[in-house]
Amino acid sequence: MSELSLRTSAIPVTDPEAGLRLTEIFYSLQGEALTSGLPTIFVRLTGCPLRCVYCDTEYAFSGGERQSLEAIITTIKSYPCQRICLTGGEPLAQPNAIELMQLLLNDGYEISLETAGALTVKNVPPAVSKVMDLKTPSSGEVDKNLWSNLDYLTQHDQIKFVIMNRNDYEWAKATLFEHQLDKLVGTVWFSPMFTVAEEVVASEALSSPDVPVLARELAEWILADALPVRFQLQLHKIIWADAKGK
C-alpha cells in the first residue's frame, strides 16, 4: 500500500498556510522512551492511517481543530518547558508537521517524534529524536510497517515494539536480530500492551491500574534470552490511567 493511499482527505497535505489539525496541547510528564519522567509539552495532531487493536488514543483519529503553525507555537511558548513530544494520531500524516518541527528546533526546543512507522521519516529533521514503532502481528497492522524507514534511523533515534503475547515477542526478537536494530538505533524498547480497565478510567479518583501479568512475563522472556533491549511500562498510565491531557 502506498503512502498516499494511507492519507485521509480531512488532513491538509500540501498547503503551508493550512497549518495543522490539532487534537490537544498539554503539559505533563513523559511516560515513555528515553525522556520518561521528564516534564514535557505534548502536541497531539489529529488523524492516523492505522487502526492498531490496542490504540489508546482513538479520540485523535478525527475531529480536532485547524490551527496555524504560529498559533500552535504561541501555545507551546506559554508552558515553562523546552522539551516537546510530537504525537498523534500519526503526526507524519500531516506534512506540515515537518515545518512545525523545524520552526521549533530553530527556537531551541528539544523534540521527540512518536510515529507508527507506516509513513516515511526521510524528511524529519536529524535533530529530532524519532521514536518509531514496528508493528507486531497482534496489532493488526504488521503489514503497514514501512521497512525503508530503517535507512533513515540513527543512534539518535529509538525503536519500540508493543508486545501482546509470546508470538509477538518471538516476532520482535527475530526482527531485532535480522535487522541488527540494537546497532542501528540508540535504544530498542520492548513494551507490554497495557490496557486500562474502563472502570479505572471512569473513576473520579483516577485510581492506578494494575500492572498486567504480561509485563512480568515479558521481563522474564527478555532476561532468559539476554536481549539487547530495554523494557518499559507506560508511566503515565500507572500514574493517571488513560486520562486525557496526561
Side-chain angles (χ1 to χ4, degrees):
M1 182 177 292
S2 72
E3 280 187 55
L4 289 178
S5 66
L6 289 173
R7 299 199 189 282
T8 153
S9 60
I11 298 174
V13 294
T14 55
D15 181 5
E17 299 301 320
L20 290 163
R21 187 168 290 279
L22 178 73
T23 293
E24 58 186 348
I25 299 178
F26 61 95
Y27 178 55
S28 187
L29 296 181
Q30 175 60 271
E32 301 182 70
L34 287 176
T35 56
S36 178
L38 291 174
T40 302
I41 302 165
F42 292 84
V43 180
R44 187 181 303 284
L45 301 185
T46 307
C48 184
L50 305 185
R51 292 295 182 268
C52 299
V53 299
Y54 49 70
C55 182
D56 56 6
T57 53
E58 293 182 359
Y59 64 91
F61 285 169
S62 60
E65 177 185 352
R66 184 76 56 81
Q67 294 190 24
S68 68
L69 301 185
E70 180 181 1
I72 293 172
I73 292 173
T74 297
T75 301
I76 288 170
K77 289 183 176 180
S78 70
Y79 294 104
C81 186
Q82 289 294 113
R83 189 176 301 104
I84 292 173
C85 176
L86 190 62
T87 186
E90 168 52 65
L92 295 180
Q94 300 189 59
N96 281 341
I98 301 294
E99 177 67 14
L100 176 65
M101 284 186 273
Q102 191 57 64
L103 290 172
L104 291 168
L105 288 171
N106 293 346
D107 282 343
Y109 285 93
E110 173 189 335
I111 305 172
S112 64
L113 167 71
E114 295 185 345
T115 177
L119 301 176
T120 184
V121 298
K122 179 180 180 180
N123 297 318
V124 175
V128 172
S129 180
K130 299 179 286 291
V131 184
M132 191 185 83
D133 278 21
L134 282 176
K135 299 302 181 184
T136 53
S138 296
S139 72
E141 297 285 24
V142 67
D143 61 318
K144 303 299 195 312
N145 286 322
L146 187 62
W147 295 102
S148 60
N149 272 335
L150 298 182
D151 296 335
Y152 304 108
L153 300 181
T154 72
Q155 288 293 307
H156 186 51
D157 302 318
Q158 306 163 58
I159 288 175
K160 181 179 72 174
F161 294 89
V162 176
I163 310 294
M164 294 185 67
N165 49 45
R166 184 72 195 213
N167 181 57
D168 281 352
Y169 172 78
E170 294 296 340
W171 183 91
K173 181 173 69 171
T175 302
L176 168 74
F177 290 131
E178 177 184 354
H179 297 281
Q180 296 187 317
L181 298 180
D182 57 308
K183 298 179 176 62
L184 180 65
V185 297
T187 306
V188 178
W189 299 97
F190 276 29
S191 181
M193 191 272 288
F194 196 168
T195 298
V196 178
E198 290 185 6
E199 58 268 23
V200 173
V201 176
S203 170
E204 292 184 2
L206 288 178
S207 55
S208 296
D210 293 329
V211 174
V213 173
L214 175 62
R216 186 181 303 112
E217 294 175 337
L218 177 57
E220 295 291 350
W221 299 338
I222 291 171
L223 289 170
D225 291 332
L227 294 189
V229 304
R230 292 182 69 170
F231 172 92
Q232 75 170 354
L233 287 172
Q234 293 172 297
L235 180 64
H236 52 289
K237 290 191 175 183
I238 296 172
I239 299 173
W240 292 295
D242 267 338
K244 291 184 181 180
K246 294 294 186 181

